[in-house]
Amino acid sequence: MFFALFDLHAQRVIDHLTQAVDELDTIDDPLRTVLRRMSTVDETERRWYLLSTEFTLHAIRHPATARTLAEHDRRLREEIAHLLARLFDRLGRRPTVDLDSLARLTTAIHEGSLAQSLVEPDQLPSDQLAVTYLPMLLDTVSEPVPPGG
């Protein structure tokens, strides 16, 4: 049952990210706007975070479950890496790092900042860390595409 929910949530995330990347050309500050949108936490996202965290702890204790979870994570990460490639393209940049690894890092940042925000919502708005640091990170792990390149 969890994996069916995982796949539904993953598709929701990918659909949301795809829409955000598709709208980059029509936004004044595209990267920060996308990051703010992706960091918005509603009650559904909060409940999913709690459920997935509990299940991850279960998977850590049960290797067969961990392997299945890792496979679902891998498929989601492939989609995120594809969207990162599109994002860099839209921003006129190309990555200088492995996109799978970058997808892992951006996911870790998202999940870690979400946890901190859920614990201290009055101290840390859900979008603050992503909006503050991910633009610098993406700039550091990419380079401008030369004209005509």
Side-chain angles (χ1 to χ4, degrees):
M1 172 100 150
F2 174 81
F3 292 114
L5 292 172
F6 181 101
D7 291 343
L8 284 172
H9 182 265
Q11 190 58 54
R12 180 176 165 236
V13 168
I14 293 303
D15 290 347
H16 202 64
L17 280 168
T18 299
Q19 179 183 4
V21 171
D22 287 345
E23 294 172 357
L24 279 178
D25 293 335
T26 63
I27 301 170
D28 290 336
D29 188 357
L31 186 53
R32 283 183 172 75
T33 301
V34 168
L35 293 171
R36 276 193 185 94
R37 186 179 303 164
M38 294 317 305
S39 299
T40 301
V41 178
D42 58 15
E43 186 56 29
T44 300
E45 189 63 24
R46 180 184 179 283
R47 284 193 312 261
W48 172 253
Y49 183 82
L50 294 172
L51 175 64
S52 64
T53 300
E54 291 291 341
F55 191 83
T56 299
L57 292 172
H58 170 79
I60 290 168
R61 291 187 296 271
H62 298 90
T65 304
R67 285 189 295 276
T68 304
L69 179 57
E71 176 58 24
H72 283 260
D73 283 342
R74 183 195 60 75
R75 290 195 309 257
L76 177 57
R77 201 170 49 253
E78 281 179 357
E79 294 285 339
I80 292 170
H82 174 73
L83 287 168
L84 283 167
R86 286 187 55 211
L87 175 64
F88 282 126
D89 186 54
R90 285 288 242 259
L91 296 172
R93 301 186 68 80
R94 66 175 162 225
T96 57
V97 297
D98 174 67
L99 287 179
D100 181 74
S101 182
L102 183 59
R104 284 181 186 270
L105 179 59
T106 57
T107 299
I109 291 170
H110 171 73
E111 290 177 357
S113 63
L114 178 56
Q116 291 180 40
S117 177
L118 290 172
V119 170
E120 297 182 279
D122 296 336
Q123 298 296 314
L124 185 65
S126 61
D127 66 348
Q128 183 175 336
L129 294 177
V131 169
T132 302
Y133 296 104
L134 281 176
M136 289 184 278
L137 172 67
L138 294 178
D139 198 44
T140 300
V141 299
S142 66
E143 60 190 13
V145 174

